Amino acid sequence: MVNGATRQVSLPATANWDTWATGHQTVSLTGGANTVVLRYGTADNGNVNVDNVAVAAVPAGSGLEAESAALSGGAVVESEHPGYTGSGYVGGFVDANKGNAAATFTLTGQTAGDRDLSVRYANGTGATRTMSLVVNGSTRQISLPATANWDTWGTTTEPVTLAAGTNTVALRYGPADSGNVNVDNLALTTALPATGGELETAFLSGGAAVGTDVSGYTGSGFVTGLGAVGARVIRTVNVPSAGTRTATLRFRNATGGARTLSLYANGLRQGQVTLPAGEWQTTTHSVPLRAGVNLLGYQVDQGDSGGVQLDNVDVAGGTALDVRGATLPYTTYEAEAGSTTGRVLAADRTYTTKQAEASGRRAVELTGTSQYVQVTLTKPANAITVRASIPDNAAGTGTTAPLAVYAGGTKVTDLTLTSKYTWMYGAYPFADAPGGANPHRFFDDARTLLPATYPAGTVLRLAKETTAVDTITVDLVDAEVADAALPAPTGYVNVNSYGAVPNDSGDDTAAIRAAIAAAHGGGVWIPAGRYVVGGLLEVSGVSVRGAGIWQTVLQGVNRRGGFMATGSNVQLADFTFDGDVTTRDPDSAPNSDAAIEGDFGTGSLIHHVATNHAKVGLWVNGNTNGLYASVLRVRNTMADGVNVNGNATGVRVEQSTFRNTGDDALAMWSYAGAGGTVRDSVLAFNTVALPILANGAAVYGGANNRIEDNLITDTVFQGSGITVSNWHDATPFSGTTVVQRDTLTRTGTHSLDWGSDLGAVWLYAPSTAFTGAVVLRDLSVNDSTYQGFLASWQQPITNLTVERVTFAGTGTIGMEFNVPGSGTFSYVTVSGNAGPALANNAGFTITRGPGDVGW
């Protein structure tokens, strides 16, 4: 009840009475005092506990009803279809008005900052459509999944950044859009205050655990178990600029005397924090942080007394991390959303077409020697990565070609493109000669530092000014501000002192090995420059750091080079490993190296590392316990992006990005053949795009593992968005496997090997029944190429729970079951499917809970 006006709200079940959730309602408040009541009314079913209410202001804005916007290019007010708000809705976004029709909203009285912009629309076409969202002149394409029909309205929410004062927001049927939707209104909101900083949701290892047995904590618990040396908690925090910040730590110390912990920033010890005795209280300390995502840690080292409980930490001037996917340091500009004198390729998901491997399934083709594509920076940048494709040559040795880069109308450099790491043919492992069947793997990344930092509003132009190749296809540009070279940490051994020479052609492997040996378990420093590494660098009990991913590059040669962990307390940070792996190894004959691999024992840390052209980005095996990998940038691997296997326990991979992996982008594999079980491990807050083979994320067997809070888009071949399976000789599932709060867009593929379609979410039991529980919760599955959900093949899947999952837009069936078994489904919505909403082909027992819609 808000000021006496009553409506009923739904509160979905939480896991148990000790688990808390948050629901959101939009309310209208008056100036001054307002009364808000939560009441167990006569028509309600009640029986809940209520913790708190948070109110966030909705910024004032004029003209948010579409019919009140400024309309142009054929956009018109209509009222044919019911269900709209206000006096009508805006139509006219039809093909005859493509490139012109627009509704422009003027938002006044704004404060500067980030907002959530919800678009209410109807799309009765049966397929996902796209429109251009233009905010203060900056354009990006948004997807509008199909609604059930033209009388049904849906919403999609986009993050936007507004300036102080007046802002202009437009919805436009742009030349690269598919349009044909109706728009009802916009809603502009400020996100509710984040709880970020709660330490019970951070990475814990070495005995640190979540406690709830002492009252007075915030959030869902606190961190306890900080007694033994090596116990630690690491929290990701985001700051807009580098500098020394004040961290406020909330803690409890019931020991009767002052206690200490060691403070870490991005893996480097900053000294001790003293925590006086007493109940819940706060202390502040200064910590040096870099721009973007940082790792803030508290750890029990030798000389620390520990024995305290930690509740949360707040960093002054920190900004919220993205709620799903990695918080990225760069902005991606899709080529097809820019302006071009080339040809925008029509959207296509057909395997062996370039578009099928392009982000968003579209790209721009430049064929003339004066053709270009250009984008306008929305944020400052001094470094770019361009994803592009050039033709192969008959010898298979690769071609090269320059791509001219202009900034603000002035040519600043030529970016060198190569096909050395692209173009594969034939069936797996794709080893046929050029000209073979099923050519694929077209795109690669090329990056460069620009001569200056260019402000927002600068036009970046990529131009074909060469005849070395007949075609350059540009997919996207990542633009960012690359930090200056980081300084050497105190006491680290410099590889230059042991004969490593930057920026020459000599092999530096022996010199770096010598520096690692000389460090005696301390630190090794690799200054800025490019170093050739033709063999494996074994590491145990040592920290190896570079000057930053844009500054220190380790260059593999002849398919070799990388790090091999052989023990505990390994730290790898702040460098790029650029491999030289050009083909996929046969499974039985490996002859290339992963960028980072091995048994990491206990207490290891990998962060702020980029990998490119390696066999695998990170391969974890052995008896690894408590490895934390964060802020990784994995590109163009021949096999997996990250694979956690062996007897790995408590591994967490988060805040990382993966693109163009040659197998699963993210995997946890409990390989029974090696006696392995992966348990209590998490893949969280990662952004995955365009795995060329296999899945966006997968868990093969194991115990109590989770895939959560990820963004996964554009799977290409032989895989799904997320797979849960006992395939690949996996150890049977035990405990509960959870997939939750993930968003999947344009995922699922067709398998040429099996002649079958694979769903966006795929539960696959090929040989034995599932054991253990599987929970799919709070998933947004959009514009799936085939099924939204698929359960196959023939073996029973039982103890399945699916709740609060939306399948919006599927190329075929909404949900398909080709297995016996049983599961409970609550608040599951299926809409916009091209085929049946449900196909139960094997007698799967479905128990329907409340809230199921559309199937």
Side-chain angles (χ1 to χ4, degrees), residues 553-639:
V553 178
L554 304 181
Q555 178 66 64
V557 292
N558 300 321
R559 306 174 60 81
R560 296 298 185 182
F563 287 89
M564 175 65 72
T566 60
S568 301
N569 299 314
V570 170
Q571 183 176 179
L572 303 173
D574 293 317
F575 60 82
T576 289
F577 179 83
D578 194 358
D580 187 43
V581 182
T582 57
T583 58
R584 174 72 184 250
D585 291 344
D587 292 342
S588 59
N591 65 350
S592 59
D593 294 329
I596 303 172
E597 181 178 356
D599 183 340
F600 292 86
T602 61
S604 291
L605 176 64
I606 305 169
H607 62 98
H608 294 95
V609 171
T611 67
N612 196 24
H613 301 142
K615 178 182 179 180
V616 175
L618 172 61
W619 186 272
V620 180
N621 55 34
N623 294 303
T624 298
N625 189 322
L627 169 67
Y628 183 48
S630 186
V631 202
L632 309 183
R633 194 180 301 195
V634 180
R635 301 286 185 267
N636 308 307
T637 58
M638 283 294 162

Side-chain angles (χ1 to χ4, degrees), residues 113-119 133-135 138-142 156-162 169 187-191 320-324 326 378-379 711:
D114 295 331
R115 305 285 191 274
D116 289 333
L117 179 72
S118 295
V119 180
L133 174 64
V134 187
V135 180
S138 176
T139 302
R140 70 172 178 268
Q141 192 177 65
I142 63 173
T156 186
T157 302
E158 292 287 326
V160 297
T161 299
L162 300 184
V169 175
L188 190 67
T189 62
T190 300
L321 296 159
D322 287 354
V323 295
R324 290 190 184 182
T378 58
K379 296 179 180 179
L711 293 177

Side-chain angles (χ1 to χ4, degrees), residues 18-397:
D18 298 333
T19 303
W20 300 84
T22 302
H24 297 262
Q25 295 288 323
T26 300
V27 298
S28 296
L29 302 181
T30 62
N34 291 259
T35 301
V36 177
V37 177
L38 283 171
R39 177 171 176 260
Y40 187 178
T42 55
D44 300 324
N45 55 13
N47 290 277
V48 297
N49 295 329
V50 177
D51 183 25
N52 62 49
V53 173
V55 178
V58 179
S62 60
L64 295 186
E65 285 292 339
E67 65 272 20
S68 299
L71 306 182
S72 59
V76 294
V77 177
E78 298 176 349
S79 57
E80 174 186 356
H81 298 287
Y84 54 81
T85 61
S87 60
Y89 59 86
V90 172
F93 298 112
V94 295
D95 291 343
N97 298 325
K98 184 172 185 174
N100 299 304
T104 302
F105 303 79
T106 301
L107 311 177
T108 60
Q110 301 297 315
T111 56
D114 295 331
R115 305 285 191 274
D116 289 333
L117 179 72
S118 295
V119 180
R120 190 170 192 262
Y121 69 95
N123 171 11
T125 67
T128 296
R129 314 297 287 188
T130 60
M131 293 279 282
S132 290
L133 174 64
V134 187
V135 180
N136 295 328
S138 176
T139 302
R140 70 172 178 268
Q141 192 177 65
I142 63 173
S143 295
L144 305 175
T147 54
N149 51 51
W150 288 108
D151 298 338
T152 303
W153 300 85
T155 59
T156 186
T157 302
E158 292 287 326
V160 297
T161 299
L162 300 184
T166 301
N167 294 256
T168 300
V169 175
L171 282 173
R172 177 170 175 260
Y173 187 178
D177 299 324
S178 52
N180 291 278
V181 297
N182 294 330
V183 176
D184 183 25
N185 63 46
L186 302 187
L188 190 67
T189 62
T190 300
L192 290 174
T195 60
E198 291 293 339
L199 291 175
E200 70 274 12
T201 60
F203 170 74
L204 310 177
S205 69
V210 177
T212 57
D213 58 333
V214 177
S215 64
Y217 57 83
T218 62
S220 59
F222 57 87
V223 176
T224 187
L226 296 169
V229 171
R232 60 178 176 168
V233 53
I234 302 176
R235 178 84 212 177
T236 49
V237 296
N238 188 39
V239 296
S241 59
T244 299
R245 304 271 175 164
T246 298
T248 301
L249 176 67
R250 190 171 191 261
F251 69 96
R252 176 179 179 268
N253 174 8
T255 66
R259 312 291 282 187
T260 60
L261 292 173
S262 289
L263 170 67
Y264 283 81
N266 296 312
L268 291 173
R269 189 174 186 273
Q270 305 300 317
Q272 274 188 335
V273 176
T274 300
L275 306 174
E279 290 301 314
W280 293 112
Q281 55 188 304
T282 60
T283 186
T284 61
H285 37 272
S286 296
V287 58
L289 299 178
R290 62 186 66 177
V293 177
N294 293 259
L295 278 54
L296 180 61
Y298 299 92
Q299 180 169 313
V300 182
D301 284 348
Q302 292 287 351
D304 290 321
S305 50
V308 297
Q309 292 87 43
L310 305 183
D311 186 22
N312 60 50
V313 64
D314 178 73
V315 175
T319 57
L321 296 159
D322 287 354
V323 295
R324 290 190 184 182
T327 300
L328 302 177
Y330 55 82
T331 302
T332 297
Y333 302 87
E334 296 285 350
E336 66 272 17
S339 58
T340 183
T341 56
R343 181 169 72 102
V344 177
L345 299 179
D348 197 340
R349 304 187 195 184
T350 306
Y351 185 55
T352 74
T353 64
K354 289 181 183 178
Q355 299 98 302
E357 297 185 21
S359 174
R361 312 302 176 118
R362 308 192 76 182
V364 172
E365 192 173 75
L366 307 177
T367 54
T369 55
S370 61
Q371 288 187 339
Y372 64 84
V373 59
Q374 63 187 28
V375 298
T376 302
L377 294 179
T378 58
K379 296 179 180 179
N382 66 3
I384 60 170
T385 300
V386 176
R387 188 170 193 259
S389 173
I390 60 175
D392 199 9
N393 64 358
T397 55

